[in-house]
């Protein structure tokens, strides 16, 4: 129950002091909120400034509007925090702009379009999915405008894609085909709405689809490289562990009646560990490798061979030197391989188990072939292969959370 003029006072200012007063402006003060309604974080200058930038992004870009947010310190002698609200320059901040043009919608309206593709880290930092605006004010995310998204053939692979950023700002006559509802979360069902949507889709959809598909493929390739690194590193750790176990086993075995006893090596001082023990301590199994050892066993995920017959069933895997190649075209791989909308692979235990099976079989075959101990019993070799598989599969399963984080952050294992 207050009048518009309540709490407002007028003050005369002399001509000499009027030069310091801006031509126009508005100051809004938010204070004295009860704790149960607002906390310090929800009403911090940074939070309020971010919401103003998101809601009035297109108005801020016009250059004739300046909005600043400041806090009032409890101590009069201290200055509060001051933030200037700024529009987001998508291209300058790293986004790939795909569509940047003006489309006539009819009925005296036009749409200023700027849409592009941004890396996942930028999307997470900006929190600005592609949105509709009307005369500079936000309407909503394009994927959430049902009247627009439901009629699009590219609803999920374009408009709901997490890497799509930018805006479509509807300008011109209020009585044009695209009129915001009073709730500002949808456009009214006008006679020309579908025609206007069709014009926007014709200009944007296919170009955006091609750009997003390319981004997905690049993301998938980088993510597969991270997966390759994990597969190789964990296999090399298993190899080192098995070699250590074999050395210990040989130390414990009693030699068969040697003709001449070897000369006993000098015993190291009591306070100095033996060389083998020093080596074990210098090579901890869980040390953080920057990448797989290029001289050890490595795993590569390959997209078939150029000379493969498309009418034949794709080969599953092969061993070339110390490189185990797994074909991503094989039906068993594709049955277990899933991707997110941004093209990143979904690494789960089922995929890890499949890869562990293949890699362990090739690794054990190579070890058995190159062994100097002569032929082994089939049951013994079978048990060795199962041991290797279980050890390797367990290591891969434990690596899933960190690998998933690496993929989500868009970083390769070497960069970490």
């Amino acid at each position: 129950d207050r009048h518009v003029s309540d709490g407002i006072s007028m003050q005369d200012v002399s001509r000499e002091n009027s030069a310091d007063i801006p031509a126009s402006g508005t100051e809004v003060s938010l204070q004295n909120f009860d704790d149960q309604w607002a906390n310090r974080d929800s009403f911090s200058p940074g939070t309020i400034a971010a919401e103003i930038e998101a809601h009035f992004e297109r108005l801020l870009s016009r250059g004739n509007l300046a909005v600043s947010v400041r806090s009032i310190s409890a101590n009069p002698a201290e200055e509060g925090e001051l933030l200037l609200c700024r529009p987001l320059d998508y291209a300058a901040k790293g986004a790939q702009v795909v569509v940047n043009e003006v489309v006539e919608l009819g009925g005296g309206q036009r749409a200023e379009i700027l849409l592009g593709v941004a890396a996942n880290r930028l999307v997470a930092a900006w929190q600005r999915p592609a949105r509709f605006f009307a005369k500079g004010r936000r309407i909503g995310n394009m994927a959430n405008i049902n009247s627009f998204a439901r009629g699009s053939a590219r609803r999920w692979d374009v408009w709901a894609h997490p890497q799509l950023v930018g805006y479509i700002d509807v300008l011109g006559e209020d009585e044009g085909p695209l009129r915001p509802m009073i709730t500002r979360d949808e456009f009214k069902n006008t006679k020309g709405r579908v025609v206007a949507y069709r014009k926007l889709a014709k200009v944007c959809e296919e170009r955006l689809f091609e750009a997003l598909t390319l981004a997905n493929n690049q993301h998938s390739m980088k993510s597969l490289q991270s997966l390759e690194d994990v597969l190789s590193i964990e296999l090399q750790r298993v190899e080192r562990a098995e070699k250590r176990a074999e050395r210990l086993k040989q130390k414990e075995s009693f030699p068969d009646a040697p003709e001449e006893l070897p000369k006993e090596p000098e015993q190291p001082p009591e306070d100095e560990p033996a060389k083998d023990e020093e080596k074990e301590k210098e090579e901890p199994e869980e040390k953080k490798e920057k990448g797989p050892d290029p001289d050890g066993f490595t795993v590569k995920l390959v997209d078939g061979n150029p000379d493969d017959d498309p009418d034949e069933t794709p080969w599953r895997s092969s061993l070339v030197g110390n490189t185990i190649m797994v074909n991503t075209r094989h039906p068993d791989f594709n049955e277990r391989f899933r991707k997110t909308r941004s093209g990143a692979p979904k690494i789960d235990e089922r995929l890890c188990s499949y890869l562990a099976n293949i890699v362990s079989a090739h690794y054990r075959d190579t070890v058995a072939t190159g062994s100097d101990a002569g032929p082994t019993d089939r049951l013994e070799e079978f048990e060795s292969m199962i041991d290797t598989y279980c050890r390797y599969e367990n290591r891969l399963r434990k690596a899933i959370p960190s690998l998933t984080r690496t993929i989500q952050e868009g970083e390769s294992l070497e960069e970490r």
Side-chain angles (χ1 to χ4, degrees):
D1 296 334
R2 66 181 294 275
H3 296 289
V4 177
S5 60
D6 287 352
I8 298 177
S9 61
M10 304 296 292
Q11 182 178 358
D12 292 333
V13 179
S14 64
R15 184 179 297 275
E16 292 78 13
N17 296 329
S18 63
D20 297 330
I21 300 176
S24 64
T26 302
E27 181 175 286
V28 178
S29 177
L30 302 176
Q31 56 188 355
N32 299 329
F33 282 91
D34 293 334
D35 292 339
Q36 64 265 33
W37 296 108
N39 54 45
R40 185 178 298 275
D41 292 335
S42 61
F43 275 89
S44 67
T47 303
I48 296 175
E51 180 59 24
I52 292 174
E53 289 175 343
H55 189 83
F56 298 104
E57 176 183 318
R58 302 305 306 134
L59 288 177
L60 292 171
S61 67
R62 296 179 183 178
N64 58 354
L65 173 66
V67 179
S68 59
V69 180
R70 64 183 177 89
S71 61
I72 301 175
S73 175
N75 185 357
E78 297 180 358
E79 292 187 2
E81 183 182 3
L82 178 65
L83 294 175
L84 181 63
C85 298
R86 303 178 185 276
L88 177 60
D89 189 335
Y90 292 91
K93 294 297 183 179
Q96 174 198 350
V97 177
V98 178
V99 181
N100 184 12
E101 56 187 89
V102 177
V103 175
E104 294 295 332
L105 302 178
Q109 282 187 341
R110 67 185 186 280
E112 292 185 356
I113 305 173
L114 190 144
L115 294 169
V117 181
N120 286 318
R121 59 181 178 80
L122 296 178
V123 171
W126 295 345
Q127 294 295 310
R128 306 280 183 91
R131 294 158 297 160
F132 272 108
F133 287 78
K135 293 190 174 181
R137 291 180 58 195
R138 179 181 61 193
I139 300 299
N141 299 351
M142 294 177 185
N144 296 337
I145 305 296
N146 288 329
S147 62
F148 175 75
R150 280 202 310 262
S152 172
R154 300 293 187 187
R155 176 177 186 177
W156 302 111
D157 46 15
V158 171
W159 304 115
H161 197 286
Q163 291 180 260
L164 180 66
V165 296
Y167 57 83
I168 296 178
D169 193 2
V170 180
L171 305 172
E173 298 294 333
D174 293 336
E175 299 302 316
L178 297 185
R179 309 174 195 172
M181 297 183 69
I182 193 171
T183 53
R184 300 193 69 81
D185 58 0
E186 182 59 278
F187 290 106
K188 294 179 181 180
N189 187 12
T190 62
K191 183 178 180 180
R193 186 178 69 175
V194 173
V195 176
Y197 285 162
R198 192 176 294 123
K199 292 179 179 179
L200 295 174
K202 183 178 180 180
V203 171
C204 302
E205 280 190 340
E206 291 308 314
R207 293 157 66 181
L208 291 172
F209 176 71
E210 292 177 4
L212 290 167
T213 300
L214 179 60
N216 285 355
N217 293 338
Q218 292 173 344
H219 191 183
S220 180
M221 291 176 61
K222 291 180 181 178
S223 300
L224 287 178
Q225 289 173 3
S226 297
L227 177 57
E228 286 178 351
D229 287 346
V230 170
L231 291 169
S232 300
I233 287 173
E234 297 302 341
L235 177 59
Q236 291 173 10
R237 286 175 174 172
V238 169
E239 180 187 15
R240 289 197 298 268
E242 292 188 351
K243 286 182 177 179
R244 280 196 296 270
E246 185 64 26
R247 287 198 299 268
L248 291 175
K249 183 178 178 181
Q250 291 174 359
K251 289 178 184 177
E252 295 170 358
S253 301
F254 196 83
D256 295 332
E259 296 180 0
E260 182 180 354
L261 294 175
K263 183 179 180 181
E264 294 185 2
E266 296 181 2
Q267 295 294 329
E270 293 184 359
D271 58 344
E272 293 184 9
K275 290 184 178 180
D276 286 343
E277 295 177 355
E278 287 180 349
K279 188 174 181 180
E280 295 294 331
K281 292 182 179 180
E282 290 174 359
E283 297 180 357
E285 183 181 353
E286 298 297 335
K287 67 180 181 179
K288 297 275 188 176
E289 292 98 335
K290 292 184 177 180
D293 181 0
D295 296 327
F297 280 96
T298 57
V299 181
K300 294 294 183 183
L301 303 176
V302 297
D303 186 23
N305 288 326
D307 55 351
D308 287 345
D309 187 345
D311 296 328
E312 295 183 359
T313 302
W315 52 275
R316 185 187 302 277
S317 61
S318 65
L319 178 67
V320 179
N322 279 356
T323 301
I324 300 168
M325 297 191 297
V326 180
N327 190 2
T328 60
R329 291 187 182 181
H330 195 278
D332 289 341
F333 181 90
N334 289 320
E335 184 182 346
R336 294 160 175 80
F337 186 64
R338 297 290 181 268
K339 294 182 182 181
T340 65
R341 281 205 300 261
S342 61
K346 292 182 178 179
I347 309 300
D348 56 19
E349 294 187 4
R350 189 163 179 252
L351 178 62
C352 286
S353 180
Y354 173 78
L355 293 171
N357 223 326
I358 293 176
V359 173
S360 298
H362 282 293
Y363 167 72
R364 287 308 314 176
D365 181 59
T366 304
V367 171
T369 302
S371 175
D372 296 331
T376 59
D377 182 78
R378 290 185 62 185
L379 180 59
E380 181 182 350
E381 182 55 36
F382 174 77
E383 288 294 338
S384 298
M385 187 183 73
I386 294 300
D387 287 343
T388 298
Y389 164 75
C390 291
R391 187 179 295 111
Y392 186 46
E393 189 267 346
N394 188 50
R395 298 196 67 90
L396 292 181
R397 182 170 51 82
K398 291 181 178 179
I400 289 176
S402 61
L403 176 59
T404 301
R405 287 194 298 271
T406 300
I407 292 173
Q408 289 175 345
E409 295 168 2
E411 299 173 352
S412 69
L413 192 64
E414 293 181 356
E415 289 173 343
R416 293 179 70 86

